[in-house]
Amino acid sequence: MTERRTSQEDAWRLEKAGYVLEIAPAGRRCWREPGTGQLLSGDHAAELLRLEEVRTLEEAGWESVNAEAQTYWRRPDTGRLYPRGAAYDVVKERQER
């Protein structure tokens, strides 16, 4: 199995969420999960982060909308559509205030 490179956007979001990029003993690029310290593949770390973002959006009342082979998130107070990453950033910013 070949290792797929983590996209630049995924890498940026992982770093922002507290994951740390490391080289595992076997030479593979892995991400250290902030809560557990476990080393994860880029795909696995990105999927865990995606699931956390989706859960946070749903708890905040955002609704997913499928449009043109992409999923967007409807902001509950304005009805505007956002891609997942931008929607999550809006929710986190509002929670921090």
Side-chain angles (χ1 to χ4, degrees):
M1 175 180 223
T2 58
E3 177 184 3
R4 198 182 100 212
R5 289 268 188 199
T6 305
S7 75
Q8 190 172 12
E9 180 179 352
D10 283 344
W12 179 79
R13 295 196 73 72
L14 286 166
E15 287 176 358
K16 188 174 176 184
Y19 287 77
V20 176
L21 181 62
E22 294 185 15
I23 305 300
R28 290 186 48 194
R29 296 166 47 98
C30 295
W31 292 88
R32 187 161 304 276
E33 188 177 21
T36 65
Q38 184 176 5
L39 280 178
L40 307 171
S41 71
D43 289 342
H44 190 188
E47 179 63 12
L48 288 178
L49 182 58
R50 185 192 71 77
L51 292 172
E52 173 63 22
E53 290 176 349
V54 166
R55 184 184 62 75
T56 299
L57 289 167
E58 289 173 343
E59 288 176 356
W62 289 59
E63 175 187 348
S64 65
V65 176
N66 292 322
E68 300 179 20
Q70 295 218 349
T71 300
Y72 294 94
W73 290 85
R74 185 180 315 278
R75 186 173 174 164
D77 57 345
T78 65
R80 293 186 67 186
L81 297 177
Y82 293 77
R84 186 190 76 248
Y88 180 78
D89 291 344
V90 169
V91 169
K92 292 307 283 183
E93 182 179 310
R94 293 185 78 166
Q95 289 176 345
E96 290 172 1
R97 281 194 255 157

